[in-house]
Amino acid sequence: MTDETTGRTKTTEDHGLTFDPHSPDLTPERAYELYGELRAECPVAHGEKYGGYWALAKYEDVKAAAMDHERFSSSGGVYVPAVSEHRFPPIDFDPPEHAKFRKLIAPLTSAAAAKQMEPAIQATVDRLIDSFVDEGRAELVEQMSIPLPLDVITQLYGLGPEHARDIRDYSLEFLEHASGSEGQAVVSRVCAYWLTVFEERRNDPRDDFISDLVRVNSDLDVPDEELANMMFILTYAGHDSTALGLGNTLLYLAEHPEVHDHLLEDPKRIPVAVDEILRYHAPLHWFPRLATEDVPIADQLVKAGERVMLLFGSANRDADVFPRADEIVLDRSPNRHLSFGAGIHTCPGMPLAKAEIRIAVTTLLERLPGFHVDGDVERTTPLEGGGRHLGVRKLPVTW
Amino acid sequence: MNITVDLDKCCGYGDCVLAAPDVFDLDDDNVARVLDPDPGPGAEDTVAEAAAACPVGAIEVKTT
């Protein structure tokens, strides 16, 4: 909007509102409160830090930008400010390169692959529950949300348990440094690690994803360094984001044991409820783009080259799209939330993540009847992982 | 109606399947498959919605 006396475009600061992902005050509660203020007063808000950026708060604007990859490029990377010189395929790439990488990972992430993984997911969930069920209490982040997706992704890669441990250690390390100066060094070390795995599989091919990847790539001619960057982001996103989403879902269920019977009565209610919890608490709250040309959005003009943050966490709470947006409505339908993004960069792991969460929830509801919070819950507060992650770090329960 | 999918563009997002499950499905290799290339005039709206929903614009609908 324009100030009538000065003719100058109003900025977030004029409203006293700033979305700063790295603010130590950005607790989950404050984030949602701020999103509400932005949607009401300044849905296209300018921030001055990190080289300047626009923050989009309304569902309609966020979705339109996500769908418009021609005018909103992903080439600027996902971290603000950038943590690394590395560009991570496919998320940091625009067409046509983007499609090449999506097709490379499709065998791993397709809906059909997720379906095929279901017995392995179920077996992992059962094994994890077996390890603590007799104790009558558990810490569901350390004993379910973290190990399940990690186990699934390493099984998908065809890597053994020693690699699983390496992958988890690297990811925790990166999470800690994602917004700091050491991020670059961690990324470089992890990518060097993947290069050694490629070399191992090239010399000793097996019937696994990495062997296929290096073989298929001999035609595509993508440099190994780019493939290593892809493995870095795929792995990191493939288990940490799922751990966040699963943790948020289990926290809700542990705080609301009164809904358990309702969900178990008809298991078809479970995926619907999971989608609703994922809408209510987006695991990843925003992603950036770069405008490739001047784009008017609402009453602002985003100029070519300017950075735009798509606040998915805010879009999901937009009451113009979701009635009773600030409540969890377990049977909400339709529920076109943006927790997996939209457009060409839609999370490739969506079918897999949904399968993991559905199977974990169903089995926990059956085997830990009436499980509920018993002890101190720790949330990610302020938002972690470069100011983007909303999840649970400790969830003690009993039943 | 004649519906085609450009397989070079399709990356298997599945939005078409959500919009028009009677017309589209995803193959095991994660590309869209047209189940019914001519679903009749009653399906025009859902097919148009599916084509518009495709993030990479891989769906072409010709009305005959």
Side-chain angles (χ1 to χ4, degrees):
Chain A
M1 58 199 78
T2 307
D3 187 301
E4 283 175 14
T5 49
T6 62
R8 185 172 70 84
T9 297
K10 276 197 173 185
T11 68
T12 332
E13 284 77 6
D14 294 319
H15 292 271
L17 295 174
T18 302
F19 175 76
D20 177 358
H22 302 295
S23 164
D25 301 327
L26 199 63
T27 61
E29 293 71 26
R30 176 59 196 143
Y32 289 121
E33 196 180 67
L34 176 62
Y35 296 155
E37 294 163 6
L38 289 170
R39 287 193 305 272
E41 295 170 39
C42 199
V44 184
H46 198 264
E48 302 295 333
K49 286 186 176 178
Y50 323 117
Y53 55 92
W54 295 93
L56 307 185
K58 293 286 292 177
Y59 181 96
E60 190 189 359
D61 296 332
V62 170
K63 185 157 187 185
M67 298 294 291
D68 187 353
H69 53 264
E70 286 173 8
R71 294 195 296 172
F72 294 95
S73 163
S74 289
S75 62
V78 295
Y79 291 96
V80 179
V83 291
S84 156
E85 297 295 306
H86 296 256
R87 281 180 76 200
F88 301 108
I91 197 165
D92 293 350
F93 284 73
D94 295 323
E97 290 85 2
H98 170 265
K100 185 168 70 181
F101 295 113
R102 285 292 288 222
K103 283 173 191 287
L104 271 178
I105 60 174
L108 204 66
T109 58
S110 67
K115 187 107 198 107
Q116 242 177 11
M117 277 304 283
E118 283 189 12
I121 297 169
Q122 183 68 60
T124 303
V125 168
D126 286 333
R127 178 174 55 73
L128 291 169
I129 297 177
D130 288 344
S131 73
F132 61 70
V133 69
D134 291 338
E135 289 167 30
R137 55 182 306 114
E139 199 285 273
L140 287 181
V141 174
E142 198 57 41
Q143 296 183 287
M144 181 57 68
S145 302
I146 290 175
L148 172 64
L150 181 62
D151 191 85
V152 169
I153 202 157
T154 47
Q155 283 191 53
L156 269 172
Y157 291 161
L159 297 174
E162 72 287 0
H163 284 109
R165 224 172 13 252
D166 292 342
I167 288 169
R168 183 66 209 167
D169 290 348
Y170 277 134
S171 291
L172 284 176
E173 199 183 355
F174 180 67
L175 188 65
E176 194 183 328
H177 298 293
S179 13
S181 52
E182 286 170 58
Q184 162 95 37
V186 181
V187 175
S188 298
R189 212 141 24 87
V190 180
C191 290
Y193 171 80
W194 281 114
L195 292 175
T196 64
V197 179
F198 295 159
E199 212 44 48
E200 273 173 37
R201 288 299 188 268
R202 228 178 235 122
N203 296 332
D204 179 19
R206 302 186 195 172
D207 182 20
D208 65 16
F209 173 72
I210 307 288
S211 303
D212 287 347
L213 186 70
V214 291
R215 191 176 54 240
V216 170
N217 186 48
S218 60
D219 297 332
L220 287 174
D221 211 20
V222 175
D224 268 11
E225 287 70 20
E226 265 184 18
L227 281 191
N229 289 346
M230 183 178 84
M231 291 307 297
F232 169 84
I233 201 72
L234 198 60
T235 307
Y236 177 58
H239 73 268
D240 192 64
S241 312
T242 312
L244 296 169
L246 179 54
N248 290 336
T249 308
L250 297 180
L251 173 60
Y252 175 81
L253 293 171
E255 285 178 335
H256 297 87
E258 72 279 5
V259 306
H260 293 190
D261 286 344
H262 171 76
L263 294 176
L264 279 172
E265 263 166 38
D266 180 359
K268 284 201 288 293
R269 290 173 180 158
I270 291 174
V272 177
V274 167
D275 259 319
E276 171 65 351
I277 301 167
L278 291 175
R279 176 196 69 83
Y280 186 81
H281 280 317
L284 307 174
H285 268 220
W286 55 271
F287 278 92
R289 300 286 192 273
L290 292 176
T292 58
E293 57 182 83
D294 292 0
V295 186
I297 307 178
D299 50 7
Q300 299 284 15
L301 181 68
V302 174
K303 297 226 174 79
E306 289 187 320
R307 182 181 276 133
V308 181
M309 286 192 197
L310 281 47
L311 301 183
F312 293 114
S314 173
N316 279 355
R317 296 289 192 102
D318 190 336
D320 288 348
V321 178
F322 303 101
R324 296 157 67 196
D326 286 326
E327 287 172 50
I328 290 191
V329 179
L330 284 178
D331 59 353
R332 187 183 292 278
S333 176
N335 191 350
R336 302 216 164 138
H337 65 79
L338 300 178
S339 287
F340 294 98
I344 65 169
H345 296 285
T346 298
C347 173
M350 177 169 69
L352 193 62
K354 285 192 176 185
E356 289 179 41
I357 298 176
R358 172 174 48 81
I359 292 169
V361 164
T362 308
T363 314
L364 285 166
L365 289 175
E366 285 166 353
R367 294 190 62 190
L368 317 183
F371 72 88
H372 54 273
V373 173
D374 181 25
D376 292 334
V377 171
E378 263 178 47
R379 314 221 47 204
T380 51
T381 182
L383 299 186
E384 289 181 355
R388 183 178 359 242
H389 292 187
L390 179 82
V392 185
R393 290 297 168 212
K394 265 208 178 74
L395 177 53
V397 298
T398 186
W399 54 91
Chain B
M1 205 183 316
N2 184 28
I3 305 165
T4 51
V5 174
D6 182 339
L7 295 185
D8 288 334
K9 288 185 182 167
C10 177
C11 292
Y13 294 98
D15 295 49
C16 56
V17 186
L18 286 179
D22 296 334
V23 181
F24 299 97
D25 197 7
L26 287 183
D27 267 351
D28 283 355
D29 50 358
N30 211 40
V31 289
R33 184 159 55 104
V34 181
L35 298 173
D36 183 357
D38 187 10
E44 270 168 19
D45 286 352
T46 51
V47 169
E49 197 189 321
C54 178
V56 290
I59 298 169
E60 194 183 2
V61 183
K62 282 189 188 138
T63 43
T64 43

